[in-house]
Structures are given as C-alpha cells and as structure tokens.
C-alpha cells in the first residue's frame, strides 16, 4: 500500500472509519458505544449509519 494522503490523514476518498463504524453497527453495538470505540462524535456515527 502506498502511503497516500487519504490513508495517512484518513480524509477524502481514501480509507475512512466508515467501514469500522458500519461493521460495529451490524454487530448490534449501540451508537454511543461505537462513537466511544472509534473516537468519533455521536453526530458523525449517526450520519454514517443514516447514509448506510
């Protein structure tokens, strides 16, 4: 894997935490727990889930 900006800074069209958040959501983990585990705000987690 090349050390591209999207991978290093987790921004843009590169790798994001969305996959991890959705995987936890599919495992029936509650959004506040997902936010805590992934170090994201609850608003961001809710937005990712809604977009999914």
């Amino acid at each position: 894997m090349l050390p591209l900006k999207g991978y290093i800074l987790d921004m843009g069209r590169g790798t994001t935490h969305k996959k991890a958040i959705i995987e936890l959501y599919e495992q029936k983990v509650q959004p506040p727990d997902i936010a805590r585990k992934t170090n994201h705000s609850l608003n961001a987690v809710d937005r990712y889930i809604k977009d999914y």
Side-chain angles (χ1 to χ4, degrees):
M1 176 184 329
L2 293 174
L4 300 174
K5 186 176 181 181
Y7 292 116
I8 295 169
L9 300 176
D10 194 24
M11 57 187 264
R13 295 183 63 94
T15 303
T16 67
H17 291 122
K18 290 178 187 178
K19 180 180 176 186
I21 289 170
I22 296 305
E23 285 176 352
L24 289 169
Y25 176 71
E26 288 180 340
Q27 294 171 10
K28 308 291 187 212
V29 177
Q30 294 298 311
D33 296 329
I34 295 172
R36 198 171 16 263
K37 288 181 178 187
T38 60
N39 198 29
H40 276 66
S41 70
L42 184 55
N43 287 339
V45 170
D46 287 340
R47 185 176 61 247
Y48 293 155
I49 291 170
K50 181 182 173 213
D51 289 347
Y52 174 66

